[in-house]
Amino acid sequence: MFGKKIQVELEKQLNRELKSSQLYLSMASWVEHRYGGLDGICNFLYDHSDEERGHMLKLIKYINKRGGYVDFFNKSKYYIVEKISYSSLMDLFHKLFEHEKKISSKINSLVELSLQEKDFFTYNFLQWYVEEQIEEESLIKKILDKIELIGEDKGGLYLFNHDIKNFYNKVEKKTR
Ligand code: FEO
């Protein structure tokens, strides 16, 4: 049985994934504008925006498969990215890390709700998101730690930009 309460909460999560996708996109654009040469960091953020869209798609398909309906015509229900500014690359990754922690806490609440509602299909479905959040928090934290070490040192950022391509590829391969 796919309860209304679960469906409503999953739709909220779908919105959060949409918002995450827009957030990563806006961050990529900001980095491209401000630090044009840092293409590795920029592409990491652009690619991750696509991944977040994938997280949203997974939810749409699940809701529809269970007999719900994701009604995109109700525009008032869907987020657009909020105005957010960054003072530096470090500030951007701090904000991103905080964002991912919030997403993790929402996923945890959804898991809790699925158990309360005895919806074990949804409980099982959500395990993918639990694993994903462990990886995402760890990935963004590792990037943040490195950027904190580098600060605004141009040589360090240049090397890190090169490094992130390999670092990101390795982590992504493990999680796919
Ligand atoms: Fe889909 Fe970064 O959470």
Side-chain angles (χ1 to χ4, degrees):
M1 171 69 187
F2 191 46
K4 191 70 195 162
K5 199 168 171 184
I6 287 275
Q7 186 183 323
V8 167
E9 293 306 315
L10 288 177
E11 275 197 69
K12 286 184 190 165
Q13 185 56 33
L14 180 165
N15 275 307
R16 287 183 205 109
E17 302 292 355
L18 177 61
K19 184 182 179 183
S20 296
S21 177
Q22 291 173 334
L23 180 67
Y24 275 93
L25 199 57
S26 69
M27 287 176 162
S29 178
W30 185 83
V31 173
E32 196 162 51
H33 173 70
R34 174 97 178 248
Y35 304 87
L38 299 181
D39 59 337
I41 297 173
C42 208
N43 287 337
F44 162 76
L45 293 165
Y46 277 128
D47 287 352
H48 212 95
S49 168
D50 288 345
E51 271 194 41
E52 297 294 353
R53 184 175 178 277
H55 301 173
M56 175 192 68
L57 279 177
K58 220 174 168 66
L59 277 153
I60 294 173
K61 290 181 178 189
Y62 178 75
I63 293 168
N64 287 340
K65 194 193 276 182
R66 294 290 310 278
Y69 174 48
V70 177
D71 173 11
F72 271 102
F73 296 109
N74 188 348
K75 286 190 189 142
S76 62
K77 276 164 67 181
Y78 294 96
Y79 288 121
I80 53 164
V81 74
E82 288 151 16
K83 182 130 182 78
I84 182 165
S85 58
Y86 318 105
S87 57
S88 63
L89 212 48
M90 198 192 306
D91 182 39
L92 181 148
F93 277 98
H94 261 295
K95 284 176 175 151
L96 191 49
F97 185 50
E98 290 308 311
H99 174 78
E100 288 297 353
K101 283 199 289 186
K102 265 189 220 155
I103 296 291
S104 299
S105 117
K106 298 293 182 186
I107 294 289
N108 287 341
S109 302
L110 271 168
V111 170
E112 195 178 359
L113 178 68
S114 70
L115 287 175
Q116 281 165 5
E117 297 286 304
K118 296 190 171 23
D119 183 343
F120 301 114
F121 288 176
T122 297
Y123 173 82
N124 190 49
F125 169 76
L126 288 170
Q127 296 314 300
W128 184 90
Y129 287 85
V130 171
E131 284 294 322
E132 184 67 13
Q133 282 313 119
I134 293 169
E135 295 300 331
E136 294 217 336
E137 272 195 33
S138 153
L139 173 63
I140 303 300
K141 183 70 172 67
K142 278 178 188 161
I143 293 174
L144 180 58
D145 287 347
K146 289 192 178 200
I147 288 186
E148 276 177 342
L149 279 173
I150 296 165
E152 288 293 309
D153 176 68
K154 288 191 173 66
L157 281 174
Y158 176 81
L159 290 175
F160 176 68
N161 181 63
H162 192 70
D163 191 35
I164 196 172
K165 295 175 191 171
N166 299 328
F167 168 69
Y168 171 60
N169 284 341
K170 255 189 259 160
V171 174
E172 287 304 297
K173 268 182 202 144
K174 257 202 303 186
T175 58
R176 275 179 184 158

